[in-house]
Amino acid sequence: MLPFTIVTGAAPYLRQANMDTDVIIRIERLTSLGRAELGPYALEALRYFPDGSEDPAFILNQKQFRGAPFILAGENFGCGSSREGAVWALQGIGIRCIIAPSFGDIFYSNCFQNGVLPIRLSLQHIETLAAACQDGVPLTVDLEQCILHVSGASAIRFEVDVLRREGLLHGLDDIGLTLKHNAEILAWQHKDRQRRPWAWNTVARTDYFPP
């Protein structure tokens, strides 16, 4: 995964609460497209008119917010089904971080597993950031110090799980984080094989079953 340390860019505000994963990416797109092809279909019901042309009123289609690495969002962002493709689709349009008062639980976990930083902030803080960033004024998120700030406003501190933060900083998912300790794991296995050889027997046994 692409490491996340300090990211700066525009931060459009999607006010709608309960933005579910079916709005983020429709299920039929996941059955016919690969991960790298999902970006054009992210939030398609909001980005496009029925004839396929862009809706210029939708905030992500506005010049100052195209390619923005952030989304400021409403309550319960990413609720609904557990589809991991919702995170992939948002990554396909350049999203690195989503800031919302709350998230769907599975979507929240999927973000970390795919290199996207989900930040929980109060609605009041989000409204303040949205006002400061409404003309495309860049927002900066510093995961190393766990602060975010925008020009002319006080920095806001956020919290993130220690292990998940480490994974994002180094571009590692749960397996990658575990493999950082591979030498220790192998050393423990070697000692345990000597201490409890019976627990490591890999020979198939047949004496469990009567003839």
PDB file of all heavy atoms in Angstrom, residues 15-40:
ATOM      1  N   ARG A  15     -22.293  16.430   2.502  1.00  0.00           N
ATOM      2  CA  ARG A  15     -23.070  16.585   3.722  1.00  0.00           C
ATOM      3  C   ARG A  15     -23.997  15.407   4.017  1.00  0.00           C
ATOM      4  O   ARG A  15     -24.378  15.180   5.157  1.00  0.00           O
ATOM      5  CB  ARG A  15     -23.932  17.849   3.622  1.00  0.00           C
ATOM      6  CG  ARG A  15     -23.149  19.131   3.518  1.00  0.00           C
ATOM      7  CD  ARG A  15     -24.070  20.323   3.302  1.00  0.00           C
ATOM      8  NE  ARG A  15     -23.324  21.562   3.209  1.00  0.00           N
ATOM      9  CZ  ARG A  15     -23.000  22.313   4.251  1.00  0.00           C
ATOM     10  NH1 ARG A  15     -23.385  21.940   5.462  1.00  0.00           N
ATOM     11  NH2 ARG A  15     -22.314  23.424   4.104  1.00  0.00           N
ATOM     12  N   GLN A  16     -24.382  14.675   2.994  1.00  0.00           N
ATOM     13  CA  GLN A  16     -25.402  13.645   3.150  1.00  0.00           C
ATOM     14  C   GLN A  16     -25.021  12.616   4.208  1.00  0.00           C
ATOM     15  O   GLN A  16     -23.933  12.025   4.148  1.00  0.00           O
ATOM     16  CB  GLN A  16     -25.632  12.943   1.818  1.00  0.00           C
ATOM     17  CG  GLN A  16     -26.652  11.822   1.858  1.00  0.00           C
ATOM     18  CD  GLN A  16     -26.820  11.164   0.498  1.00  0.00           C
ATOM     19  OE1 GLN A  16     -26.595  11.785  -0.539  1.00  0.00           O
ATOM     20  NE2 GLN A  16     -27.195   9.900   0.498  1.00  0.00           N
ATOM     21  N   ALA A  17     -25.892  12.383   5.168  1.00  0.00           N
ATOM     22  CA  ALA A  17     -25.672  11.338   6.166  1.00  0.00           C
ATOM     23  C   ALA A  17     -26.041   9.979   5.573  1.00  0.00           C
ATOM     24  O   ALA A  17     -26.762   9.881   4.581  1.00  0.00           O
ATOM     25  CB  ALA A  17     -26.512  11.617   7.410  1.00  0.00           C
ATOM     26  N   ASN A  18     -25.514   8.909   6.185  1.00  0.00           N
ATOM     27  CA  ASN A  18     -25.835   7.531   5.787  1.00  0.00           C
ATOM     28  C   ASN A  18     -25.510   7.255   4.324  1.00  0.00           C
ATOM     29  O   ASN A  18     -26.292   6.610   3.612  1.00  0.00           O
ATOM     30  CB  ASN A  18     -27.313   7.226   6.074  1.00  0.00           C
ATOM     31  CG  ASN A  18     -27.697   7.469   7.509  1.00  0.00           C
ATOM     32  OD1 ASN A  18     -27.034   6.985   8.418  1.00  0.00           O
ATOM     33  ND2 ASN A  18     -28.751   8.235   7.732  1.00  0.00           N
ATOM     34  N   MET A  19     -24.368   7.735   3.881  1.00  0.00           N
ATOM     35  CA  MET A  19     -23.907   7.448   2.519  1.00  0.00           C
ATOM     36  C   MET A  19     -23.500   5.984   2.463  1.00  0.00           C
ATOM     37  O   MET A  19     -22.454   5.582   2.980  1.00  0.00           O
ATOM     38  CB  MET A  19     -22.718   8.346   2.172  1.00  0.00           C
ATOM     39  CG  MET A  19     -22.166   8.154   0.773  1.00  0.00           C
ATOM     40  SD  MET A  19     -23.139   8.963  -0.498  1.00  0.00           S
ATOM     41  CE  MET A  19     -22.764  10.689  -0.155  1.00  0.00           C
ATOM     42  N   ASP A  20     -24.338   5.145   1.852  1.00  0.00           N
ATOM     43  CA  ASP A  20     -24.063   3.710   1.906  1.00  0.00           C
ATOM     44  C   ASP A  20     -23.159   3.257   0.770  1.00  0.00           C
ATOM     45  O   ASP A  20     -22.922   3.968  -0.202  1.00  0.00           O
ATOM     46  CB  ASP A  20     -25.353   2.896   1.994  1.00  0.00           C
ATOM     47  CG  ASP A  20     -26.189   2.958   0.735  1.00  0.00           C
ATOM     48  OD1 ASP A  20     -25.637   2.767  -0.363  1.00  0.00           O
ATOM     49  OD2 ASP A  20     -27.410   3.189   0.847  1.00  0.00           O
ATOM     50  N   THR A  21     -22.660   2.037   0.911  1.00  0.00           N
ATOM     51  CA  THR A  21     -21.680   1.529  -0.039  1.00  0.00           C
ATOM     52  C   THR A  21     -22.271   1.296  -1.428  1.00  0.00           C
ATOM     53  O   THR A  21     -21.543   1.277  -2.419  1.00  0.00           O
ATOM     54  CB  THR A  21     -21.053   0.220   0.478  1.00  0.00           C
ATOM     55  OG1 THR A  21     -22.083  -0.699   0.852  1.00  0.00           O
ATOM     56  CG2 THR A  21     -20.167   0.500   1.693  1.00  0.00           C
ATOM     57  N   ASP A  22     -23.600   1.128  -1.513  1.00  0.00           N
ATOM     58  CA  ASP A  22     -24.215   0.966  -2.830  1.00  0.00           C
ATOM     59  C   ASP A  22     -24.211   2.286  -3.605  1.00  0.00           C
ATOM     60  O   ASP A  22     -24.180   2.285  -4.828  1.00  0.00           O
ATOM     61  CB  ASP A  22     -25.645   0.446  -2.696  1.00  0.00           C
ATOM     62  CG  ASP A  22     -26.196  -0.067  -4.026  1.00  0.00           C
ATOM     63  OD1 ASP A  22     -25.513  -0.900  -4.648  1.00  0.00           O
ATOM     64  OD2 ASP A  22     -27.281   0.371  -4.438  1.00  0.00           O
ATOM     65  N   VAL A  23     -24.248   3.400  -2.882  1.00  0.00           N
ATOM     66  CA  VAL A  23     -24.108   4.707  -3.532  1.00  0.00           C
ATOM     67  C   VAL A  23     -22.653   4.928  -3.931  1.00  0.00           C
ATOM     68  O   VAL A  23     -22.359   5.472  -4.998  1.00  0.00           O
ATOM     69  CB  VAL A  23     -24.599   5.836  -2.597  1.00  0.00           C
ATOM     70  CG1 VAL A  23     -24.316   7.211  -3.208  1.00  0.00           C
ATOM     71  CG2 VAL A  23     -26.092   5.692  -2.327  1.00  0.00           C
ATOM     72  N   ILE A  24     -21.741   4.487  -3.082  1.00  0.00           N
ATOM     73  CA  ILE A  24     -20.312   4.667  -3.380  1.00  0.00           C
ATOM     74  C   ILE A  24     -19.921   3.864  -4.614  1.00  0.00           C
ATOM     75  O   ILE A  24     -19.215   4.359  -5.498  1.00  0.00           O
ATOM     76  CB  ILE A  24     -19.459   4.275  -2.161  1.00  0.00           C
ATOM     77  CG1 ILE A  24     -19.773   5.218  -0.992  1.00  0.00           C
ATOM     78  CG2 ILE A  24     -17.967   4.345  -2.494  1.00  0.00           C
ATOM     79  CD1 ILE A  24     -19.147   4.802   0.324  1.00  0.00           C
ATOM     80  N   ILE A  25     -20.363   2.616  -4.691  1.00  0.00           N
ATOM     81  CA  ILE A  25     -20.099   1.804  -5.899  1.00  0.00           C
ATOM     82  C   ILE A  25     -21.221   0.769  -6.039  1.00  0.00           C
ATOM     83  O   ILE A  25     -21.492   0.004  -5.107  1.00  0.00           O
ATOM     84  CB  ILE A  25     -18.709   1.109  -5.862  1.00  0.00           C
ATOM     85  CG1 ILE A  25     -18.393   0.438  -7.203  1.00  0.00           C
ATOM     86  CG2 ILE A  25     -18.593   0.153  -4.700  1.00  0.00           C
ATOM     87  CD1 ILE A  25     -18.136   1.390  -8.338  1.00  0.00           C
ATOM     88  N   ARG A  26     -21.885   0.760  -7.168  1.00  0.00           N
ATOM     89  CA  ARG A  26     -22.982  -0.182  -7.390  1.00  0.00           C
ATOM     90  C   ARG A  26     -22.457  -1.605  -7.525  1.00  0.00           C
ATOM     91  O   ARG A  26     -21.385  -1.843  -8.078  1.00  0.00           O
ATOM     92  CB  ARG A  26     -23.759   0.226  -8.640  1.00  0.00           C
ATOM     93  CG  ARG A  26     -24.613   1.458  -8.422  1.00  0.00           C
ATOM     94  CD  ARG A  26     -25.018   2.147  -9.706  1.00  0.00           C
ATOM     95  NE  ARG A  26     -25.484   1.224 -10.732  1.00  0.00           N
ATOM     96  CZ  ARG A  26     -25.835   1.611 -11.957  1.00  0.00           C
ATOM     97  NH1 ARG A  26     -25.770   2.905 -12.291  1.00  0.00           N
ATOM     98  NH2 ARG A  26     -26.247   0.730 -12.841  1.00  0.00           N
ATOM     99  N   ILE A  27     -23.245  -2.557  -7.037  1.00  0.00           N
ATOM    100  CA  ILE A  27     -22.789  -3.939  -6.969  1.00  0.00           C
ATOM    101  C   ILE A  27     -22.472  -4.511  -8.344  1.00  0.00           C
ATOM    102  O   ILE A  27     -21.534  -5.292  -8.508  1.00  0.00           O
ATOM    103  CB  ILE A  27     -23.819  -4.825  -6.232  1.00  0.00           C
ATOM    104  CG1 ILE A  27     -23.257  -6.218  -5.963  1.00  0.00           C
ATOM    105  CG2 ILE A  27     -25.120  -4.911  -7.009  1.00  0.00           C
ATOM    106  CD1 ILE A  27     -22.073  -6.233  -5.038  1.00  0.00           C
ATOM    107  N   GLU A  28     -23.237  -4.116  -9.371  1.00  0.00           N
ATOM    108  CA  GLU A  28     -22.973  -4.694 -10.694  1.00  0.00           C
ATOM    109  C   GLU A  28     -21.630  -4.266 -11.252  1.00  0.00           C
ATOM    110  O   GLU A  28     -21.053  -4.970 -12.096  1.00  0.00           O
ATOM    111  CB  GLU A  28     -24.106  -4.347 -11.673  1.00  0.00           C
ATOM    112  CG  GLU A  28     -24.275  -2.871 -11.973  1.00  0.00           C
ATOM    113  CD  GLU A  28     -25.313  -2.215 -11.086  1.00  0.00           C
ATOM    114  OE1 GLU A  28     -25.475  -2.673  -9.930  1.00  0.00           O
ATOM    115  OE2 GLU A  28     -25.960  -1.256 -11.534  1.00  0.00           O
ATOM    116  N   ARG A  29     -21.103  -3.132 -10.801  1.00  0.00           N
ATOM    117  CA  ARG A  29     -19.769  -2.707 -11.248  1.00  0.00           C
ATOM    118  C   ARG A  29     -18.700  -3.652 -10.708  1.00  0.00           C
ATOM    119  O   ARG A  29     -17.696  -3.912 -11.375  1.00  0.00           O
ATOM    120  CB  ARG A  29     -19.476  -1.278 -10.782  1.00  0.00           C
ATOM    121  CG  ARG A  29     -20.472  -0.233 -11.252  1.00  0.00           C
ATOM    122  CD  ARG A  29     -20.634  -0.205 -12.743  1.00  0.00           C
ATOM    123  NE  ARG A  29     -21.515   0.888 -13.171  1.00  0.00           N
ATOM    124  CZ  ARG A  29     -22.024   0.992 -14.377  1.00  0.00           C
ATOM    125  NH1 ARG A  29     -21.772   0.058 -15.297  1.00  0.00           N
ATOM    126  NH2 ARG A  29     -22.797   2.016 -14.696  1.00  0.00           N
ATOM    127  N   LEU A  30     -18.931  -4.164  -9.508  1.00  0.00           N
ATOM    128  CA  LEU A  30     -17.943  -5.049  -8.900  1.00  0.00           C
ATOM    129  C   LEU A  30     -17.917  -6.419  -9.563  1.00  0.00           C
ATOM    130  O   LEU A  30     -16.917  -7.131  -9.495  1.00  0.00           O
ATOM    131  CB  LEU A  30     -18.242  -5.215  -7.404  1.00  0.00           C
ATOM    132  CG  LEU A  30     -18.165  -3.931  -6.566  1.00  0.00           C
ATOM    133  CD1 LEU A  30     -18.526  -4.228  -5.120  1.00  0.00           C
ATOM    134  CD2 LEU A  30     -16.788  -3.305  -6.655  1.00  0.00           C
ATOM    135  N   THR A  31     -19.011  -6.803 -10.196  1.00  0.00           N
ATOM    136  CA  THR A  31     -19.054  -8.112 -10.847  1.00  0.00           C
ATOM    137  C   THR A  31     -18.451  -8.093 -12.244  1.00  0.00           C
ATOM    138  O   THR A  31     -18.156  -9.153 -12.799  1.00  0.00           O
ATOM    139  CB  THR A  31     -20.511  -8.620 -10.943  1.00  0.00           C
ATOM    140  OG1 THR A  31     -21.280  -7.723 -11.762  1.00  0.00           O
ATOM    141  CG2 THR A  31     -21.139  -8.707  -9.559  1.00  0.00           C
ATOM    142  N   SER A  32     -18.258  -6.908 -12.803  1.00  0.00           N
ATOM    143  CA  SER A  32     -17.795  -6.841 -14.193  1.00  0.00           C
ATOM    144  C   SER A  32     -16.491  -6.082 -14.376  1.00  0.00           C
ATOM    145  O   SER A  32     -15.926  -6.093 -15.470  1.00  0.00           O
ATOM    146  CB  SER A  32     -18.871  -6.178 -15.075  1.00  0.00           C
ATOM    147  OG  SER A  32     -19.165  -4.866 -14.614  1.00  0.00           O
ATOM    148  N   LEU A  33     -15.995  -5.421 -13.319  1.00  0.00           N
ATOM    149  CA  LEU A  33     -14.805  -4.587 -13.455  1.00  0.00           C
ATOM    150  C   LEU A  33     -13.736  -4.980 -12.445  1.00  0.00           C
ATOM    151  O   LEU A  33     -14.040  -5.442 -11.342  1.00  0.00           O
ATOM    152  CB  LEU A  33     -15.166  -3.103 -13.240  1.00  0.00           C
ATOM    153  CG  LEU A  33     -16.160  -2.492 -14.224  1.00  0.00           C
ATOM    154  CD1 LEU A  33     -16.589  -1.113 -13.728  1.00  0.00           C
ATOM    155  CD2 LEU A  33     -15.558  -2.387 -15.621  1.00  0.00           C
ATOM    156  N   GLY A  34     -12.486  -4.781 -12.822  1.00  0.00           N
ATOM    157  CA  GLY A  34     -11.384  -5.014 -11.899  1.00  0.00           C
ATOM    158  C   GLY A  34     -11.200  -3.837 -10.966  1.00  0.00           C
ATOM    159  O   GLY A  34     -11.742  -2.745 -11.176  1.00  0.00           O
ATOM    160  N   ARG A  35     -10.407  -4.044  -9.953  1.00  0.00           N
ATOM    161  CA  ARG A  35     -10.190  -3.013  -8.941  1.00  0.00           C
ATOM    162  C   ARG A  35      -9.731  -1.692  -9.548  1.00  0.00           C
ATOM    163  O   ARG A  35     -10.222  -0.623  -9.177  1.00  0.00           O
ATOM    164  CB  ARG A  35      -9.161  -3.519  -7.926  1.00  0.00           C
ATOM    165  CG  ARG A  35      -8.760  -2.507  -6.877  1.00  0.00           C
ATOM    166  CD  ARG A  35      -7.882  -3.127  -5.816  1.00  0.00           C
ATOM    167  NE  ARG A  35      -7.469  -2.165  -4.820  1.00  0.00           N
ATOM    168  CZ  ARG A  35      -6.841  -2.461  -3.687  1.00  0.00           C
ATOM    169  NH1 ARG A  35      -6.558  -3.730  -3.423  1.00  0.00           N
ATOM    170  NH2 ARG A  35      -6.494  -1.524  -2.831  1.00  0.00           N
ATOM    171  N   ALA A  36      -8.799  -1.736 -10.475  1.00  0.00           N
ATOM    172  CA  ALA A  36      -8.242  -0.513 -11.059  1.00  0.00           C
ATOM    173  C   ALA A  36      -9.215   0.208 -11.985  1.00  0.00           C
ATOM    174  O   ALA A  36      -8.946   1.334 -12.400  1.00  0.00           O
ATOM    175  CB  ALA A  36      -6.955  -0.846 -11.818  1.00  0.00           C
ATOM    176  N   GLU A  37     -10.347  -0.434 -12.301  1.00  0.00           N
ATOM    177  CA  GLU A  37     -11.314   0.157 -13.226  1.00  0.00           C
ATOM    178  C   GLU A  37     -12.505   0.815 -12.534  1.00  0.00           C
ATOM    179  O   GLU A  37     -13.402   1.331 -13.197  1.00  0.00           O
ATOM    180  CB  GLU A  37     -11.839  -0.934 -14.175  1.00  0.00           C
ATOM    181  CG  GLU A  37     -10.758  -1.638 -14.979  1.00  0.00           C
ATOM    182  CD  GLU A  37     -11.310  -2.829 -15.749  1.00  0.00           C
ATOM    183  OE1 GLU A  37     -11.633  -3.849 -15.097  1.00  0.00           O
ATOM    184  OE2 GLU A  37     -11.424  -2.726 -16.983  1.00  0.00           O
ATOM    185  N   LEU A  38     -12.530   0.817 -11.215  1.00  0.00           N
ATOM    186  CA  LEU A  38     -13.725   1.242 -10.491  1.00  0.00           C
ATOM    187  C   LEU A  38     -13.850   2.760 -10.334  1.00  0.00           C
ATOM    188  O   LEU A  38     -14.949   3.280 -10.135  1.00  0.00           O
ATOM    189  CB  LEU A  38     -13.757   0.590  -9.100  1.00  0.00           C
ATOM    190  CG  LEU A  38     -13.898  -0.936  -9.069  1.00  0.00           C
ATOM    191  CD1 LEU A  38     -13.785  -1.445  -7.640  1.00  0.00           C
ATOM    192  CD2 LEU A  38     -15.225  -1.364  -9.692  1.00  0.00           C
ATOM    193  N   GLY A  39     -12.736   3.487 -10.399  1.00  0.00           N
ATOM    194  CA  GLY A  39     -12.753   4.922 -10.159  1.00  0.00           C
ATOM    195  C   GLY A  39     -13.810   5.705 -10.919  1.00  0.00           C
ATOM    196  O   GLY A  39     -14.544   6.511 -10.323  1.00  0.00           O
ATOM    197  N   PRO A  40     -13.956   5.500 -12.235  1.00  0.00           N
ATOM    198  CA  PRO A  40     -14.952   6.264 -12.987  1.00  0.00           C
ATOM    199  C   PRO A  40     -16.389   6.041 -12.517  1.00  0.00           C
ATOM    200  O   PRO A  40     -17.275   6.842 -12.839  1.00  0.00           O
ATOM    201  CB  PRO A  40     -14.763   5.759 -14.421  1.00  0.00           C
ATOM    202  CG  PRO A  40     -13.355   5.276 -14.477  1.00  0.00           C
ATOM    203  CD  PRO A  40     -13.109   4.680 -13.121  1.00  0.00           C
TER     204      PRO A  40
END
